[in-house]
Amino acid sequence: MKKQTLLLFPILLIAIFLYGFKKFVIDEQKTHLATNLDIRVEQKVDSVLALMHLNEKIGQLVQYSGKWNATGPSSSNGDQHKLNKLKNGEVGSMLNITSVESTRETQKIVMENSRLKIPLIFGYDVIHGYKTIFPIPLGESASWDLDIIKKTASIAAKEAAASGIQWTFAPMIDVSRDARWGRIMEGAGEDTYLNAVIGVARVQGFQGDDLSKSNTIAACAKHFAGYGFAEAGRDYNTVNIGEYELHNAILPPFKAAAEAGVATFMNSFNEIDGIPSTGNKMLQRDILKGDWGWNGFVVSDWGSIGELIAHGYAKDKKQAAEIALNAGSDMDMESYAYEAHLETLLKEKKISLAQLDDAVKRILRLKFNLGLFDDPYKYCDEAREKNNVYTKEHLAIARDAAKKSIVLLKNETKLLPFSKNLKSIAVIGPLADDKDAPLGNWRAKGEYNSSMSLLEGVKSAVGNNTKIYYEKGGDLTMPTIKPGDNQFLYPLRFNTTDVSGIPAAVEAAKKGEVVLLAIGEDAFQTGEGRSQTNIGFFGVQQQLLEAVYKVNKNVVIVLMNGRPMDISWAANNVPTILECWFLGSESGNAMADVLFGDYNPSGKLPVSFPHNVGQEPLYYNQKNTGRPYSPSHVTYSGYTDAPKTALYPFGFGLSYTTFEYKNLKLDKNTISKTEEIKLSVEVSNTGTRDGEEVVQLYIRDLVGSLTRPVKELKGFQKTMIKAGETKTIYFAVNADMLQFYTINKKWEVELGDFNVWVGGDSNAPLKASFSVTE
Ligand code: BGC
């Protein structure tokens, strides 16, 4: 194949030249991540750039979505335009082309027709698995287990890479604090630090230590920036935050991803304080590429360059292209603005050749690092596509990740774990035998109805002596999504009033020794464009819950959902609640592992659960205000009709055992800015089962040049503690934990007093204090 490719090169000189590249790349085993420039790669990038005509340079900045059949583009006009551009070498990347056959065919168009034969890079939204589906990112974040998170990202990369893909548009590291926002399901929730460490784990999982390996893919930190702070939780909405909040709350996960060598960034649809991110020079050029010295490329979000017009920030596409390129948006995803206008803009000196070249170089750099110049078809391997995808091993990892993501919210009567010798179990609810919802939104190539339902998981966990009574009880009423359907075209129809299934469910509940009630959300109630003002139970679920609970108190609510929900009635009335998110391919098995005690739940909430939607946005790391809320002043910075605090706070989650924290000690109480404190705490497992605990460390800077949050997560350790055992856990409290973006517009530690808390959730009661002095 390589020989053939060489023979097809029209210009001999170029052929020899590119052959030289290939040898170079083969000699050089290690691929270097974007932050570490490799001089040999840079030389190759410069040599290619020197050969490129203007149309080819602009072409590298163009990304199209494929609407292709297996053997190439279909014949509509749009596709003909794309086909011609591919042939001319005027496309840098394609998204949404998935399969070895399709990527090979598309790559071939470029390799066999274009002058310079610069390979395409194929991108796809591989968000929580490719075909083996792992828990939705918010759910998986509840594991607080960086090893399993890294592992699932690496499996997703392996499967995607085996199908011809080299680039995922993940991880989403938008700090998100509003349950109404549908995309809260895609990230790690409300905390800045947790988003940073989980984001880095995902980047490392996708990219591995060598991008040129055929089982790793380039990652994309998105959405830069502030997308999760959309006003009122409405997707794409305006973001109004100040410069300091931007630096302290939103940017740290992005900086961490850049430092971890993430290959690409995607900008965001929203504006911040009047400037849409796609046109935000301060964010993309000054901070990301300037201050942070990051060398990857920024892809626009879908059509976001064109959307500068709707924002009222550009009068037409030409001006939009000018603004976006000058602001540092390197690749145009589906706006058709760069291909149409960059040449004229260059002639008119509205953009510079240096900036255009810089964008091209960033894209070529990644193509070299991925090994695409060495072999443009290296990701196209039918055998790997057949054997490396959706394997038993991958499903076992999916089960492991899923059980670790489950959060036990309530177990007041110690109903859980169940014995496997129960005489009967009633399995009830619209989600109880749903084999599709657990795949969640953004399920890539996860096949319709391919997950293990709760009912199936329970059946396979118990013996023949346990009788199972299943009743659906009612509908969630989302229309069925079939493979290939465009979920955006579906009307939102949730509220069924059909209660005809409830009597049968009540009868089943009466017969069951215990009841599993699977309620929550449909998979597509969260995700892009899925904002809601009601975060409670849709349809007849609340009626079903109350009717079932009336006849059998041994009910376990098995929640499946993509956002924090208003479950206040359930929390006030039903003693047992298990938060199961959308757990992916192995959902039912993982739930059974926890329900029957084969796995002791260890998940902790990455987002606060409110008493009601009116509390949103709700997050623990808020500011104190001048009139702080307290039990004696509930109206201060609070509400007259609802608590101010969360129903279930950030970091919360129970276990089948109990943990006790004591003896919080600091080895010193005064340090200089550069010294560190050794903190220790004893954590005892006071129950009768072994269990894992997430030991969390929170810090407050009491007085600052800017007001500081009432507490912030600064570290955690997930550790197994045997029944009866006491472990001493150590943290080093250092400048990294104490610094913030101060009034001086710098990250620095300020002198003064600090509080530190350690515990099993964000209400951690054990507290100590220390000071930073000259
Ligand atoms: C989303 C991105 C996604 C892109 C490509 C956009 O609508 O905001 O997160 O990566 O589409 O599918």
Side-chain angles (χ1 to χ4, degrees), residues 455-574:
L455 181 64
E456 288 172 322
V458 169
K459 278 184 180 162
S460 79
V462 297
N464 292 336
N465 295 334
T466 306
K467 187 122 185 61
I468 293 178
Y469 301 100
Y470 164 68
E471 282 298 332
K472 193 171 182 191
D475 273 321
L476 265 170
T477 73
M478 268 303 273
T480 307
I481 310 272
K482 295 180 291 313
D485 284 345
N486 180 349
Q487 47 130 335
F488 286 102
L489 301 180
Y490 282 89
L492 293 170
R493 294 189 295 111
F494 297 113
N495 272 327
T496 176
T497 48
D498 182 1
V499 290
S500 61
I502 294 183
V506 167
E507 286 316 302
K510 283 184 192 159
K511 287 191 252 171
E513 205 176 330
V514 295
V515 180
L516 288 173
L517 184 63
I519 50 179
E521 297 186 310
D522 182 273
F524 294 93
Q525 274 182 257
T526 45
E528 189 173 350
R530 295 292 189 227
S531 298
Q532 287 178 190
T533 59
N534 176 357
I535 56 170
F537 295 110
F538 278 93
V540 296
Q541 295 187 97
Q542 184 66 36
Q543 282 153 279
L544 177 67
L545 163 61
E546 292 181 28
V548 164
Y549 185 62
K550 205 165 164 192
V551 299
N552 192 335
K553 300 293 176 236
N554 290 332
V555 172
V556 177
I557 296 183
V558 178
L559 271 181
M560 297 182 210
N561 48 313
R563 58 160 57 81
M565 292 182 70
D566 171 354
I567 54 165
S568 41
W569 189 91
N572 290 330
N573 291 280
V574 182

Side-chain angles (χ1 to χ4, degrees), residues 351-503:
I351 60 167
S352 73
L353 187 60
Q355 279 182 346
L356 179 69
D357 282 352
D358 176 65
V360 177
K361 282 171 71 167
R362 287 170 183 272
I363 294 161
L364 294 179
R365 187 175 295 142
L366 180 59
K367 292 182 175 183
F368 273 109
N369 286 339
L370 286 165
L372 287 167
F373 276 99
D374 172 33
D375 178 359
Y377 303 104
K378 69 179 286 187
Y379 293 83
C380 301
D381 179 337
E382 279 81 1
R384 286 199 300 127
E385 185 174 44
K386 196 157 165 254
N387 303 322
N388 282 7
V389 174
Y390 206 62
T391 63
K392 267 199 187 131
E393 293 75 37
H394 296 181
L395 288 169
I397 291 162
R399 181 168 178 166
D400 196 34
K403 69 188 187 197
K404 289 177 171 160
S405 304
I406 294 173
V407 184
L408 180 62
L409 292 179
K410 213 176 162 191
N411 196 18
E412 220 166 65
T413 53
K414 302 279 175 286
L415 183 59
L416 289 177
F418 291 152
S419 146
K420 284 187 187 162
N421 300 321
L422 285 169
K423 282 194 209 64
S424 59
I425 308 177
V427 184
I428 296 173
L431 292 163
D433 195 26
D434 193 326
K435 290 173 62 58
D436 195 61
L439 298 177
N441 205 334
W442 291 114
R443 74 235 337 239
K445 299 305 250 189
E447 267 176 31
Y448 177 64
N449 259 349
S450 65
S451 86
M452 188 78 154
S453 74
L454 172 66
L455 181 64
E456 288 172 322
V458 169
K459 278 184 180 162
S460 79
V462 297
N464 292 336
N465 295 334
T466 306
K467 187 122 185 61
I468 293 178
Y469 301 100
Y470 164 68
E471 282 298 332
K472 193 171 182 191
D475 273 321
L476 265 170
T477 73
M478 268 303 273
T480 307
I481 310 272
K482 295 180 291 313
D485 284 345
N486 180 349
Q487 47 130 335
F488 286 102
L489 301 180
Y490 282 89
L492 293 170
R493 294 189 295 111
F494 297 113
N495 272 327
T496 176
T497 48
D498 182 1
V499 290
S500 61
I502 294 183

Side-chain angles (χ1 to χ4, degrees), residues 693-724:
E693 171 69 333
V694 181
V695 181
Q696 302 162 40
L697 174 100
Y698 295 88
I699 290 182
R700 176 174 183 185
D701 185 346
L702 296 188
V703 179
S705 60
L706 301 164
T707 59
R708 306 298 302 130
V710 293
K711 61 176 64 163
E712 291 179 293
L713 181 73
K714 290 294 176 183
F716 65 87
Q717 290 176 39
K718 187 165 186 171
T719 181
M720 165 61 83
I721 308 180
K722 294 213 155 50

Side-chain angles (χ1 to χ4, degrees), residues 112-270:
E112 293 184 357
N113 297 284
S114 69
R115 192 179 72 94
L116 289 180
K117 304 176 195 324
I118 298 173
L120 293 166
I121 171 174
F122 293 91
Y124 190 48
D125 289 288
V126 183
I127 307 295
H128 54 112
Y130 181 71
K131 189 157 180 190
T132 305
I133 302 300
F134 304 105
I136 57 166
L138 184 67
E140 198 182 60
S141 302
S143 73
W144 296 53
D145 185 327
L146 302 179
D147 292 334
I148 193 71
I149 290 171
K150 191 169 162 183
K151 183 96 207 151
T152 62
S154 76
I155 302 298
K158 187 173 157 200
E159 292 196 357
S163 305
I165 291 153
Q166 302 99 29
W167 180 21
T168 176
F169 306 122
M172 184 185 102
I173 45 179
D174 297 312
V175 172
S176 32
R177 297 173 169 175
D178 196 325
R180 293 170 296 182
W181 192 52
R183 296 196 83 167
I184 198 168
M185 55 86 50
E186 269 181 75
E190 75 192 38
D191 184 70
T192 304
Y193 175 77
L194 194 61
N195 266 284
V197 292
I198 288 180
V200 167
R202 291 193 169 126
V203 169
Q204 290 169 341
F206 288 128
Q207 297 195 163
D209 58 2
D210 184 348
L211 277 176
S212 75
K213 283 189 183 157
S214 55
N215 60 0
T216 58
I217 59 178
C220 180
K222 74 185 188 185
H223 304 83
F224 197 57
Y227 189 35
F229 274 49
E231 215 173 70
R234 291 202 298 276
D235 206 4
Y236 317 119
N237 203 18
T238 305
V239 171
N240 275 314
I241 46 167
E243 179 189 349
Y244 296 102
E245 183 74 344
L246 175 71
H247 279 272
N248 282 307
I250 291 175
L251 296 188
F254 289 99
K255 181 149 191 270
E259 282 166 359
V262 69
T264 68
F265 265 54
M266 183 185 290
N267 57 34
S268 59
F269 287 126
N270 59 283

